[in-house]
Structure formats: C-alpha cells, structure tokens
Amino acid sequence: MSDSSRTAAGSLLRRCWPIVAAVPLGAVCGGAYALVAPVQYQANAYVMVVPEAGADSATAVNFAQAYGRVIAQPEILLNAAAGTGVPIARLTPLVQAVTSPDAPMIQITGTAGTAATAAQEANAVARSLVSFGDAGSAQTRVKLMTFASAAQPDAPSSPSRSLDLAVGAAAGLLVGGLGVMASQARAGGGAPAAVPPPRSDDRGSEGGIGEDVQVEPVPAAEAAVTAEETAGTARRARHGAAQGRR
C-alpha cells in the first residue's frame, strides 16, 4: 500500500471511528439480549364462523371480525382460565386474535414460556369462544366451530438471535453516525473570521464614493490679489448705482 493510500485510510478512520466502534458494540449488545431474554413460544388455533339458515357468508365474516375483537373479554376467558389454571389477568395479554376481511376465520394465538402451555392456552380459548358464540346463535344466526386445534410449536418465536444481532448493529450504526456528525460540527463550529476594516486609501468606483479628494493650498499673494479685485468690483458697482439715482 502506498503512502498516499495509508494516509487516506488513516484520515478516514479518524473521521469515522465512532461508526467503527459502535456497530460491533451494538451487535454484541443485541447478541447479549438474545442470550438473556426469556424464551417465548406461540401456538395457533383456528375457529370458523358458519352461517345458518337465513344468513349469508358476509354475515359470517362480519361476526368473525366481531368475535375477534372481543376475544379478551372475561366472559370468554373465564372457562379458558379455569381449564389452564392461569388467572384471567395473566391470561389476557398472552392471547391474541387475528381475523380476515375475506374469510369467516379467527386465528387465536397463545403465548407461553413452553410449547405445551402455549398450545394449551390457544385451544382453551378457542373452546371458550365456540361456547360463547353458540350460546347466542339464535340471535346471530351463525355458529362457531373449531377448524384446527393448536399444536405444540417446534421452535420458540422469540428471541431471534439473527434479528437481535441485526437490530443491535443497526442501532450502533445510527449512534455512530450521529457521533460522526457531532464531531464534524464541533470541528467546523469555530468563531467566524473577522472582517478587516476598510482602508483609508481605498478607492471607490470610478468617480464614486470613497475616493479621497486632495485640496491644494492657495498661496497668500494670490489670495490678496483676489481680495483686492473683489473689493474694486464692489466699489464700481456702488458708484454706478449712485449715478443712476441722480
């Protein structure tokens, strides 16, 4: 490597050292979080809304979305909490429902620290939702049925080591970039250069402002002659005016 290349590389390293240091540090922090974060498993159960006589598929889709929104109500989770042994207050944030705008299907997701518990929670909530919906089928004219039971997941859903590493490296890149910008701002943020005062011998534009005018002194003899001529002219003017009055 030539001397100029080494000089350029050293200058670049001095300017970008916050990024060089922050990106690996962020990746290490992300990996450390992936190692210490609690493992979470997710299992999915599916409930279908079926229209009865006098109802159509659009009605079933609408009720599927409605049941998905009220999945965390105590009336639905009461039987699920009794079946799993998990209190309702603890079970509520562990269960989620997702619906489709085109199909009368409800996806129920259970989250837990073990695969078996996650599947048990999802299936218990699905059974409770079916019982809750069938209790009012005479008014809604739709029935609910378990379409697919939740199975135990093979791998945890979180944490994801690759994702946590990428997020940590991205955060380090952001922080390092901000550090580079701050250092450049400090380096170029000195006081502005003082404007020198105008010189007394500066010349303006052609015949314009700023041009010094030098006045030459008048000799004393010439000044005396000029004064005498002026006085004589004044006397002759007075004499002519007096004759004109006569």
Side-chain angles (χ1 to χ4, degrees):
M1 183 181 293
S2 62
D3 294 340
S4 60
S5 299
R6 285 194 294 268
T7 302
S11 177
L12 180 63
L13 183 61
R14 285 192 297 272
R15 290 197 303 269
C16 300
W17 69 265
I19 296 178
V20 176
V23 171
L25 181 60
V28 170
C29 293
Y33 171 79
L35 292 176
V36 301
V39 177
Q40 296 290 327
Y41 290 86
Q42 288 185 343
N44 299 321
Y46 297 89
V47 174
M48 177 174 286
V49 180
V50 181
E52 292 186 330
D56 54 11
S57 58
T59 302
V61 172
N62 292 335
F63 273 105
Q65 295 178 358
Y67 285 128
R69 294 189 185 99
V70 299
I71 192 68
Q73 293 300 314
E75 293 83 356
I76 299 175
L77 296 182
L78 183 61
N79 293 333
T84 58
V86 180
I88 294 180
R90 182 181 173 188
L91 183 62
T92 300
L94 300 178
V95 177
Q96 296 177 348
V98 179
T99 59
S100 172
D102 302 323
M105 186 78 68
I106 306 171
Q107 174 184 300
I108 300 173
T109 303
T111 304
T114 63
T117 304
Q120 183 182 9
E121 290 175 355
N123 289 328
V125 174
R127 290 192 298 268
S128 296
L129 180 61
V130 170
S131 301
F132 178 81
D134 289 346
S137 60
Q139 291 78 25
T140 60
R141 292 183 297 178
V142 295
K143 290 184 64 67
L144 277 67
M145 59 174 293
T146 302
F147 184 78
S149 299
Q152 297 185 16
D154 297 329
S157 59
S158 65
S160 175
R161 289 187 175 86
S162 58
L163 179 60
D164 292 335
L165 286 172
V167 171
L173 179 62
L174 176 62
V175 174
L178 294 176
V180 171
M181 293 175 61
S183 62
Q184 291 179 352
R186 287 194 300 269
V195 179
R199 295 173 54 188
S200 60
D201 59 347
D202 286 348
R203 297 288 186 254
S205 58
E206 297 181 15
I209 301 173
E211 185 175 0
D212 294 340
V213 179
Q214 296 181 358
V215 180
E216 297 181 357
V218 179
E222 294 182 3
V225 172
T226 302
E228 184 178 355
E229 291 177 353
T230 303
T233 301
R235 286 194 299 271
R236 286 193 296 271
R238 288 195 298 271
H239 181 69
Q243 289 180 354
R245 285 194 297 272
R246 291 196 190 101

